Every structure is written in structure tokens, then in C-alpha cells.
Amino acid sequence: MDRIDRRALLAGGGALSLAAFCGDVWAAPAFSATPFALGVAAGDPAADGFVIWTRLAPRPLAEHGGMPPLGVVVRWEVADDERFARIARSGEVLARPELAHSVHVEVDGLRPSRPYWYRFRVGGGDASPIGRARTAPRAGNLPSRLRLANAGCQHYQAGLFTAWRHLSGEDDLDAVFHYGDYIYEGGAPADPPLIVDGAGRPIDRRHAGAEIYSLDDYRRRYAQYKTDPDLQAAHAAAAFIVSFDDHEVDNNWASDFDQDGTPPELFVLRRAAAMQAWYEHMPVRRPQFPHGGRAAMFRRLDYGSLLRMHVLDTRSYRSDQLCEREGQAACRPADDLRSTMLGAQQEAWLAAGLRNDARWNLIAQQVFVMPTRRRAPDGSVGRGGTDTWNGYPAARARLVKAIGDAGLTNVVVATGDAHIHAVGSIPLRDDEPDGTAAAVEFLATSISSGGDGAAETDGTRALLAGSPNLLLANAQRGYQVFDVSPREWTTQVKVVDRVQRPGGSLSTLARFSVRPDRPELG
């Protein structure tokens, strides 16, 4: 296996000088299978560019993805057209073994408000699939339209990623907000959900390996998910704006705490491995690189003067969850004014960012913000889960106050996590759920988590009966599409009729509209 002298590379400067950090470079890489088995992705659009991503892994589930411990030079191109007749930008980057041979190229110098096509090459001619991404409008420009999707919760073992295939065919998406649960951390169950092919034969979508803890474990799990062709198609179709929720690390984790009472000094080791793997597999920018076991995931994106998008992190800085029963361990016994969902720094950052002149403010985050209750058939009422903002009422009150202090009537919250579609409003006061609203919330259902699902369940009926601020609750699979103009925000609630066998059909369950001068659903 030929190697390049890294001192010679250093003389060349530029991106290849990063070879100094990873040792030798493979001079003439050759692969027995495509090194682009995990596809490509773009992310975080700006007016002059976006991030493009890939990871070299010719044998995705093998040790190190089937790659040697050497750096590999990867060539990249961004073109004005899908035939690559007019190259807009190109260059080389080093795929380093320290980052699982992933590459993140922050492309700039592009024109605003238009589509581009991108690809990667390595070795003697191995070429990646082609991806498409659209740049954002120029600062101060007021575009006539913007089209976003909201999706997430893609449990590989629970069903096919049919919804991603349908989303890849949506017309003119500017970006996709992935609210989290990109992977699930558990091992293969003894009795997995039955998923079949078109002939009724079982499909094996069990997780490779047991519950994941180490960096290699998390890398392998991401690789397994990213081999899915429907997920690859969605990434190739539009730029993603990604966040993370709990399952990228461990169910219901909160800051330095897991749900099992693991000593924090041990849990943060697992979290550090998970955050590095998340960065390695997501099309995010350099500021999201993990430090101290945390990824600085919260960030802001502007689409001209039409929309400001605040991407929140509701996991890394929150207080532990409220206890749900007497004697429960690994939780906090009662709420107080100091409880937080975002942490002081992120709260202040959001409050400052809400003071702007954009026509719309989109708060893109992970878990139910609106207060919800569940009314059982016998009339008894229970509160919503404590892992959502229901478990952090003081923090929710501060969020509502920040919106009011900024004088905003144009706030829309995009959410996920709950494996249902839910549409409703966030009231000024928790004890007046059907009173004046501070914002509206669109919670998108899962891609596959929960299996086929159903239009109605005991859970959705209880939520609707107990929450007068909730207009829709549906437990099918799917996603949502946001069509945004200066005068109106329209949300299409999309559902897929099945995910446990192929051929699930897509339909539009409902449409809702909002005006920027009034946080009311129409």
C-alpha cells in the first residue's frame, strides 16, 4: 500500500496541510467496493454556499468501515448544472482516520437563491452519487417563497424509510430540518417488529450488535442507517439542517445524566463518543465540532429577511427530568424557577436572536413545547410527559416571555420526538391553554419509529380530549412541509399508510395556515 510523504504535502499548504494531524496518506487508493456506500449529504445553507459531506466506507459495517489507518485525498466539485458541464467550485480535502474518513467541506463563493449539484471523487475514478442543494437568499432580500420540511425519528428496526423516499420527491425543497433521533442506540430485540418485502418474506432490519457505548459502536450504527437507499435519496435531494435528540446518545438523557443513574463522570464518556460520531456523520459546520464531550449544536440560519431559524439544543444543558412517581431515582423531585431546558447561555442567545426584523421566526427544536394533558375515558386528567417542556414549566414561561419581550407575533415552533403529528398553540399561560397564544407549534411524526401506526390511538384521543390548545393528533408515519411566504405560512401534514412492508402511499392529511401578525391557526 503506497503512502505519500506528509512533509511533501505540507509544502503544498491548503486543506491538505491537515495531513499533519493524521500521519501517512494513502498515495493510490483502490477499493474492492464503492467507498461512497454511505451516500452524500449537504447542510446548513448560507447565501454563498453550504456544507457538503461524505464518509469513505467501502465495507460500512466492518472495522473502520473497511478503511486503512491512512489519510485519503478526496476531490470535490460543485456545479451549476446536474451534468457538471459548468463547475462553480472544486477542490481537495483530506479524509482522516481520526474522523472515520468523513469529510466536511464548507463551500463558499456561490450565488444566492439557486440550486447547485455536488459530488466527490477518490482514487483512480471512484465517484460518489450526485447531491443537490440550494443556497439561501442574500441578507436583506425578501424572497417570495421558501419551502422546508420537518422530519425525524427513523428507527431502522421499526420499519422502512418509505417516508424519506417520498420526501426526496418533494418539489423545490430549500432544506429539511431533521429534529433528531437519527439513530437508535438499543441492540437487536429478541422479537423484532415484522417487516416484509413485496412477496411477504421477512426483511432483516435488526441492529448490528448490542446496545452501543463506544465510538466504534456509534460509528457502526450510523453506517448501518446510512446504507438505507431511501435515506440516501432524501439527503441527495436537499440540504439538511440537523439537530440531535436523545437516541443519538441514550434514551431521555439530560446534560450529564442518563435515565439509569449512571455516575455522571462515566456517562459523559459515552456522550463524548456519541457526539463525535454525530459530527462525523452529519453535514454540519466547524463550529459544531465537539469540545469537552459536547457538540455546540444550537445555531442560527437566516433566509434573507423572510425567515430566521433558531436551531435549539434541548438535551445538552437541561436540568434532569422531573420524577414521575414517588421513590423514583435519577430525576429531580420538584420544579423550581431555576429549572432549565436550554441552559442560561442558550436562553440568552435565543432571547437576543428573537429581536430581529424577519417576517417569520422559526424555533426548530426537539420536544413538545405546548402544554398538553391527557384525559382518559373515565374523565381523569394526567399531565404530559416530563421529558418535554411540560416537565420544565419555569423554562417554558421564560421562553414565552422572551417572545413577548421581543414583541413577536410571527413565531412558529417545529418539533418532533413524539411519533405523532400534532398541531396546536403555545399559550401565554399554562393554566389558560385555550387563551391567547404566544406561538404556534407543528410537531412532525416519525419516519418509521412506532411501525405502521394508526390515524387514531388511545394516546392521541387522550391528548385531544385533555388539551384544548391541540387541533390535531395523528399517529401515522410521515413528515411535514412548510410553504412560507411574506404573508402566510402553510403547513402540509403528510402521512404514509404503511412502513412495515414496501409500497406505502403518501397523502396529505391536513393543511394549516398562519399569518405573521397573529399566532393563530387557520
Side-chain angles (χ1 to χ4, degrees), residues 3-13 16-17 19-21 23-25:
R3 304 184 183 200
I4 294 176
D5 184 344
R6 64 179 176 177
R7 289 171 294 182
L9 275 175
L10 282 170
L16 293 181
S17 67
F21 298 102
D24 295 325
V25 177

Side-chain angles (χ1 to χ4, degrees), residues 449-467:
S449 303
D452 285 340
E456 288 187 8
T457 66
D458 291 344
T460 59
R461 284 189 287 268
L463 272 175
L464 286 168
S467 308

Side-chain angles (χ1 to χ4, degrees), residues 231-476:
L231 176 58
Q232 289 191 16
H235 272 299
F240 273 47
I241 299 168
V242 296
S243 64
F244 53 74
D245 195 16
D246 54 338
H247 290 289
E248 285 85 353
V249 182
D250 184 39
N251 184 55
N252 285 359
W253 70 279
S255 186
D256 295 343
F257 309 101
D258 70 4
Q259 65 177 353
D260 303 314
T262 301
E265 63 271 21
L266 298 182
F267 173 68
V268 297
L269 299 176
R270 181 182 188 182
R271 188 187 67 196
M275 288 295 99
Q276 179 171 336
W278 176 82
Y279 173 81
E280 290 171 348
H281 293 86
M282 293 296 112
V284 291
R285 296 181 182 271
R286 190 166 300 172
Q288 278 64 67
F289 187 87
H291 295 280
R294 281 194 173 105
M297 187 264 282
F298 67 90
R299 60 201 188 279
R300 189 173 292 126
L301 296 89
D302 287 323
Y303 281 86
S305 59
L306 178 61
L307 179 139
R308 170 164 282 187
M309 183 175 184
H310 316 262
V311 182
L312 303 188
D313 178 351
T314 61
R315 287 288 162 193
S316 299
Y317 313 99
R318 63 156 78 183
S319 308
D320 206 356
Q321 287 94 343
L322 278 172
C323 298
E324 295 185 336
R325 60 185 182 276
E326 189 174 346
Q328 183 179 351
C331 55
R332 75 183 197 278
D335 193 49
D336 59 54
L337 295 179
R338 296 171 298 174
S339 68
T340 181
M341 180 65 90
L342 304 178
Q345 179 186 358
Q346 189 178 184
E347 280 192 20
W349 169 86
L350 177 59
L354 287 172
R355 296 181 180 274
N356 64 75
D357 297 323
R359 291 294 177 94
W360 296 96
N361 279 270
L362 172 60
I363 296 178
Q365 54 94 62
Q366 294 75 47
V367 293
F368 257 123
V369 176
M370 67 180 104
T372 57
R373 291 181 177 274
R374 297 173 183 269
R375 183 181 296 277
D378 63 5
S380 60
V381 177
R383 66 182 179 187
T386 60
D387 187 56
T388 72
W389 289 75
N390 279 330
Y392 302 80
R396 180 165 55 205
R398 291 194 298 272
L399 173 62
V400 168
K401 183 177 185 299
I403 294 170
D405 288 348
L408 297 179
T409 58
N410 62 5
V411 175
V412 174
V413 177
T415 307
D417 176 67
H419 306 172
I420 63 171
H421 280 302
V423 176
S425 59
I426 302 165
L428 292 176
R429 295 173 54 91
D430 284 4
D431 58 358
E432 297 178 1
D434 53 353
T436 303
V440 299
E441 182 171 6
F442 296 108
L443 187 150
T445 190
S446 58
I447 292 292
S448 60
S449 303
D452 285 340
E456 288 187 8
T457 66
D458 291 344
T460 59
R461 284 189 287 268
L463 272 175
L464 286 168
S467 308
N469 54 321
L470 191 63
L471 299 188
L472 179 143
N474 171 283
Q476 292 173 280

Side-chain angles (χ1 to χ4, degrees), residues 173-255:
L173 282 178
D174 288 270
V176 177
F177 171 55
H178 194 297
Y179 56 71
D181 291 347
Y182 196 100
I183 61 168
Y184 282 71
E185 78 283 9
D191 186 21
L194 180 61
I195 304 168
V196 299
D197 64 15
R201 296 172 298 217
I203 299 173
D204 185 2
R205 285 179 69 90
R206 290 174 296 179
H207 283 160
E211 183 163 350
I212 53 180
Y213 289 91
S214 70
L215 178 56
D216 284 343
D217 290 343
Y218 282 101
R219 285 171 170 171
R220 188 176 300 110
R221 187 61 51 84
Y222 275 104
Q224 183 174 17
Y225 277 55
K226 280 184 167 288
T227 58
D228 186 276
D230 295 336
L231 176 58
Q232 289 191 16
H235 272 299
F240 273 47
I241 299 168
V242 296
S243 64
F244 53 74
D245 195 16
D246 54 338
H247 290 289
E248 285 85 353
V249 182
D250 184 39
N251 184 55
N252 285 359
W253 70 279
S255 186

